[in-house]
């Protein structure tokens, strides 16, 4: 991506080590422009979640450490901030697997998102109404315990809770996990509207490459802790290798994985 | 036949033939129960907010009471001593957060539990080093005179203890339900990581919750200390709080109260009506037996949080 300094977030060459020994990210660089939706793609264990957590600084609670590189948000280095300081600056992560507060009601869950805000009750109430307008399903669920609502509704609670912090950038980790295709579509549609109408930027970690590339403007592909390819979303979606390895298609038709040539993958990524 | 009669019939006959005496036993039990609840409350608070079973709660009761009584013996007026003792408990909370909880974040529960055992030894030793290991008499000015209501002989102090306990529980329940910090505390209790991710600072929450547990410990220490003198055995009443917790549920504030009351009444009634059958001293183990039964049939306790399982 271009180096025009207009970036909301820029991650430069970070290395992450867990437990002082396990090297998970081996020099990852990426950028999120103001008002963009950027997708971070890759298989299980590629390092997507780790990348997001190193940006939101949740890594330290998991005994991980950024050992090299820098992370800049709005031109300011943020590697050493606490997660709550970062949230009040406008960067919030929606974690993989939703992580709702199960014994709190849906509304209480949403309100926890406003913990760092200092702009008064009226503003919080306004945003609560805004969240309900984006997720009308949650209105009926207001007083149910979050542990008992469906998976899709939990994902909505998790995103809504993040919105309550009035973020500029949401790090959205695997929103499609465990959801029916129709719901995935619904969630992404809302992400799209939030981006357009509220101006929230998104960095989106996804395994569901086809959906992610349809909604994102730019994409990075992560393999074994390295970025192996990046480009505009439509270019990535039409790239032959991406088609073959991530979209399960080759030469315009669906392909069985038995026929995928493994040596090609090797040659391409490790060259 | 005679044995069954002695177990299942005669005690009840006794109860009904002397209802006033029975009422006195029950009320006495309820009032003792409140005292158990006060100790159990401290456990529940910390367990709720940090998922740690705080073995040191008993030591905190002892330490708070020792600090209070030590200051009073130095001639500090009661109100000032109370404020200083509460302040000391806040300092203890800050130190525990800094030196114990923060370095152990995200470690398995058992490791945190072991750490609280360490805190227990430290607080007991430190308290006795500073204030001495004699039995101290504590009198904060709560009236302590027996009086009679409807033929029952009651102790004024017990009534005060019950009232204070009830007020604390009410206050805490409101605090947890309706304040921003209270909601954040419950959020942390549910999911540390998610709480971190929405910007709730664990550090602040832990300090708040350990401080509140310290205050509760202070109140419990005052009550127990006034009754039996401030001495090392105060830290052992934590053991009595365990069955209360199992009965009421580790995560429920009302549970701590009801559990305490049931155990208070249960052990008094059992002692007086069934005790003679096997030579007495039921009071000492009745609570644990009850807890065992609960563990078998209702492990989350009467009011414990439902274990939410989605399929």
């Amino acid at each position: 991506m271009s180096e025009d300094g207009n970036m909301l977030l820029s991650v430069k060459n970070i290395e992450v080590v867990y437990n002082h020994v396990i090297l998970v990210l081996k020099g990852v660089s990426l950028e999120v422009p103001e008002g963009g939706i950027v997708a971070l793609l890759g298989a299980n264990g590629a390092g997507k979640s780790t990348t997001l957590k190193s940006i939101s600084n949740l890594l330290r609670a998991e005994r991980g450490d950024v050992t090299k590189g820098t992370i800049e948000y709005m031109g300011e280095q943020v590697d050493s901030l606490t997660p709550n300081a970062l949230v009040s600056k406008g960067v919030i992560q929606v974690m993989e697997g939703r992580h709702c507060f199960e014994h709190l009601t849906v509304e209480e869950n949403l309100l926890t998102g406003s913990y760092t805000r200092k702009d008064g009750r009226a503003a919080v109430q306004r945003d609560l109404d805004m969240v309900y307008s984006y997720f009308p399903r949650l209105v009926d669920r207001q007083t149910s315990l979050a542990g008992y609502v469906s998976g899709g509704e939990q994902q909505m609670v998790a995103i809504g809770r993040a919105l309550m912090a009035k973020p500029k950038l949401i790090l959205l980790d695997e929103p499609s996990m465990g959801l029916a295709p129709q719901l995935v579509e619904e969630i992404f549609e809302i992400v799209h509207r939030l981006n357009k109408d509220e101006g929230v930027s998104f960095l989106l970690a996804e395994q569901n490459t086809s959906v992610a590339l349809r909604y994102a403007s730019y994409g990075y592909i992560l393999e074994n802790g390295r970025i192996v390819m990046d480009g505009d979303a439509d270019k990535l979606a039409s790239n032959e290798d991406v088609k073959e390895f991530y979209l399960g298609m080759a030469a315009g038709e669906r392909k069985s994985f038995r026929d995928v040539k493994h040596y090609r993958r090797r040659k391409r990524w490790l060259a | 036949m005679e044995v069954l009669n002695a177990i299942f019939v005669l005690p009840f006959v006794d109860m009904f033939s002397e209802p006033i005496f029975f009422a006195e036993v029950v009320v006495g039990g309820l009032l003792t129960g409140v005292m158990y609840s006060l100790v159990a409350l401290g456990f529940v608070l910390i367990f709720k907010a940090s998922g740690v079973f705080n073995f040191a709660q008993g030591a905190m009761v002892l330490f708070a009471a020792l600090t209070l009584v030590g200051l009073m013996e130095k001639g500090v007026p009661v109100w000032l001593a109370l404020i200083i003792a509460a302040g000391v408990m806040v300092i203890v909370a800050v130190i525990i957060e800094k030196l114990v909880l923060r370095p152990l974040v995200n470690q398995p529960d058992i490791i945190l539990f072991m750490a609280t055992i360490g805190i227990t030894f430290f607080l007991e030793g430190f308290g006795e080093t500073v204030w001495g290991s004699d039995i101290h008499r504590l009198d904060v000015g709560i009236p302590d005179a027996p009086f009679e209501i409807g033929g029952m002989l009651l102790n004024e102090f017990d009534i005060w203890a019950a009232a204070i306990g009830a007020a604390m529980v009410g206050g805490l329940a409101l605090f947890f339900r309706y304040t921003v910090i209270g909601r954040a505390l419950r959020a942390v209790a549910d999911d540390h990581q998610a709480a971190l991710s929405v910007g709730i600072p664990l550090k602040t929450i832990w300090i708040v919750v350990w401080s509140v547990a310290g205050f509760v410990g202070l109140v419990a220490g005052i009550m127990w200390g006034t009754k039996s003198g401030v001495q090392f055995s105060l830290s052992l009443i934590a053991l009595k709080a365990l069955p209360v917790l199992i009965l009421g549920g580790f995560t429920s504030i009302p549970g701590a109260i009801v559990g305490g009351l049931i155990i208070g009444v249960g052990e008094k009634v059992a002692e007086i009506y069934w005790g003679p059958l096997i030579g007495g001293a039921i009071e000492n183990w009745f609570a644990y037996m009850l807890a065992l039964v609960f563990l078998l049939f209702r492990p989350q306790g009467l009011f414990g949080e439902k274990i939410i399982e989605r399929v």
Side-chain angles (χ1 to χ4, degrees):
Chain A
M1 212 173 240
S2 60
E3 289 281 337
D4 54 14
N6 208 9
M7 290 299 155
L8 189 60
L9 177 81
S10 65
V11 174
K12 287 178 192 144
N13 207 21
I14 55 165
E15 237 180 59
V16 168
V17 175
Y18 277 113
N19 266 330
H20 302 290
V21 276
I22 309 156
L23 182 64
V24 186
L25 295 187
K26 305 156 187 168
V28 168
S29 301
L30 58 86
E31 286 178 320
V32 180
E34 186 118 38
I37 300 184
V38 172
L40 190 58
L41 307 166
N44 279 331
K48 303 186 297 292
S49 295
T50 303
T51 309
L52 294 196
K53 280 182 193 150
S54 48
I55 298 167
S56 61
N57 280 328
L58 290 176
L59 205 58
R60 250 168 288 160
E62 291 184 5
R63 331 215 99 216
D65 234 331
V66 178
T67 50
K68 258 189 207 164
T70 58
I71 297 168
E72 279 176 19
Y73 167 69
M74 304 213 304
E76 186 192 344
Q77 199 162 334
V78 291
D79 327 27
S80 56
L81 293 180
T82 56
N84 51 301
L86 208 56
V87 170
S88 39
K89 279 183 183 297
V91 183
I92 192 164
Q93 177 164 4
V94 176
M95 287 199 291
E96 183 180 5
R98 310 186 278 264
H99 283 273
C100 291
F101 303 120
E102 295 189 333
H103 296 96
L104 271 63
T105 65
V106 165
E107 178 143 324
E108 284 175 329
N109 261 277
L110 296 177
L111 286 173
T112 53
S114 64
Y115 185 88
T116 51
R117 287 176 57 172
K118 309 255 181 295
D119 50 358
R121 263 182 204 198
V124 170
Q125 185 59 43
R126 239 189 342 267
D127 283 1
L128 192 61
D129 294 339
M130 185 265 286
V131 169
Y132 282 133
S133 73
Y134 278 98
F135 301 103
R137 276 187 195 220
L138 297 185
V139 179
D140 315 328
R141 296 283 183 200
Q142 258 172 4
T143 53
S144 355
L145 288 189
Y148 288 130
V149 303
S150 75
E153 286 160 348
Q154 284 188 348
Q155 186 66 62
M156 294 177 186
V157 169
I159 297 176
R161 188 173 65 186
L163 281 174
M164 290 300 291
K166 243 194 168 156
K168 290 197 184 65
L169 172 65
I170 295 183
L171 310 168
L172 190 52
D173 198 351
E174 202 96 2
S176 73
M177 191 170 115
L179 301 184
Q182 207 181 354
L183 262 170
V184 173
E185 211 64 46
E186 193 179 331
I187 301 256
F188 270 87
E189 202 51 55
I190 292 169
V191 165
H192 179 68
R193 274 174 53 210
L194 285 170
N195 175 255
K196 231 177 48 200
D197 303 343
E198 311 293 328
V200 184
S201 311
F202 284 87
L203 176 58
L204 189 70
E206 253 305 340
Q207 284 195 46
N208 190 335
T209 312
S210 65
V211 181
L213 283 181
R214 255 190 297 128
Y215 286 94
S217 50
Y218 200 86
Y220 293 87
I221 293 179
L222 203 57
E223 254 182 40
N224 280 327
R226 282 197 182 89
I227 303 266
V228 291
M229 192 188 264
D230 68 308
D232 290 327
D234 44 348
K235 285 211 188 91
L236 280 183
S238 57
N239 178 292
E240 285 305 317
D241 285 335
V242 174
K243 267 191 185 164
E244 180 161 354
F245 298 133
Y246 289 97
L247 299 173
M249 318 266 266
E253 60 187 83
R254 215 161 255 289
K255 201 170 171 178
S256 160
F257 262 92
R258 210 172 42 190
D259 308 326
V260 173
K261 294 175 190 144
H262 294 282
Y263 69 89
R264 251 187 81 189
R265 178 181 200 131
R266 260 230 166 101
K267 203 172 69 190
R268 173 67 185 79
W269 301 143
L270 297 181
Chain B
M1 202 53 215
E2 211 162 284
V3 176
L4 289 179
N5 195 32
I7 294 177
F8 293 107
V9 182
L10 288 182
F12 294 102
V13 173
D14 284 348
M15 285 178 201
F16 285 107
S17 59
E18 276 185 80
I20 292 188
F21 177 68
F22 177 62
E24 202 175 299
V25 171
V26 169
V27 173
L30 284 174
L31 296 173
T32 321
V34 173
M35 308 271 279
Y36 292 148
S37 305
L38 274 177
V39 183
L41 206 55
F43 281 99
V44 170
L45 284 171
I46 290 181
F47 191 80
K48 243 176 122 70
S50 47
V52 179
F53 180 78
N54 177 23
F55 195 78
Q57 187 62 32
M60 281 164 72
V61 170
L62 172 69
F63 186 77
L66 269 178
T67 308
L68 180 72
V69 86
L71 288 168
M72 284 169 65
E73 281 170 4
K74 292 235 164 6
V76 180
V78 179
W79 62 272
L80 188 60
L82 273 172
I83 293 173
I84 297 177
V88 168
M89 294 319 285
V90 174
I91 295 172
V92 168
V94 172
I95 294 175
I96 288 176
E97 193 278 331
K98 219 178 174 60
L99 297 184
V100 182
L101 298 177
R102 201 179 318 167
L104 293 180
V105 84
N106 256 24
Q107 296 285 1
D109 292 346
I110 187 71
I111 291 186
L112 281 160
F113 173 68
M114 301 288 267
T116 66
I117 296 180
I119 298 172
T120 308
F121 286 122
F122 174 78
L123 282 179
E124 284 171 3
F126 185 66
E128 295 199 334
T129 311
V130 176
W131 304 112
S133 54
D134 306 327
I135 300 180
H136 304 265
R137 231 180 69 77
L138 177 63
D139 181 9
V140 289
I142 300 174
D144 187 13
F147 67 100
E148 234 186 82
I149 288 182
M152 287 189 293
L153 201 58
L154 295 177
N155 195 326
E156 203 173 338
F157 176 81
D158 291 339
I159 305 285
W160 274 100
I164 292 172
M168 276 186 79
V169 173
L172 285 172
L174 292 177
F175 172 71
F176 265 96
R177 185 137 299 276
Y178 295 110
T179 66
V180 173
I181 296 265
R183 189 165 57 219
L185 283 170
R186 284 185 294 142
V188 171
D190 247 17
D191 193 330
H192 279 197
Q193 275 210 309
L196 260 176
S197 83
V198 296
I200 295 171
L202 289 186
K203 185 185 158 206
T204 322
I205 296 298
W206 280 338
I207 290 177
V208 168
V209 81
W210 281 74
S211 301
V212 174
F215 298 154
V216 174
L218 178 61
V219 174
I222 292 171
M223 298 305 165
W224 282 97
T226 309
K227 264 204 140 136
S228 55
V230 176
Q231 53 177 318
F232 181 76
S233 69
L234 267 190
S235 71
L236 299 180
I237 59 169
L239 295 179
K240 249 314 172 16
L242 265 176
V244 173
L245 291 169
I246 290 169
L247 219 70
F250 278 84
T251 49
S252 166
I253 291 178
I257 304 307
V258 177
L261 295 180
I262 293 176
I263 286 195
V265 172
E267 64 183 21
K268 283 279 184 305
V269 170
E271 174 71 39
I272 288 181
Y273 292 97
W274 280 274
L277 285 178
I278 53 167
I282 287 185
E283 207 169 349
N284 293 327
W285 52 258
F286 178 80
Y288 301 102
M289 192 201 68
L290 206 58
L292 209 64
V293 173
F294 261 81
L295 279 180
L296 285 175
F297 296 107
R298 202 180 157 81
Q300 78 270 41
L302 284 174
F303 299 89
E305 237 149 42
K306 281 182 216 128
I307 299 157
I308 293 184
E309 250 179 275
R310 300 177 68 250
V311 272

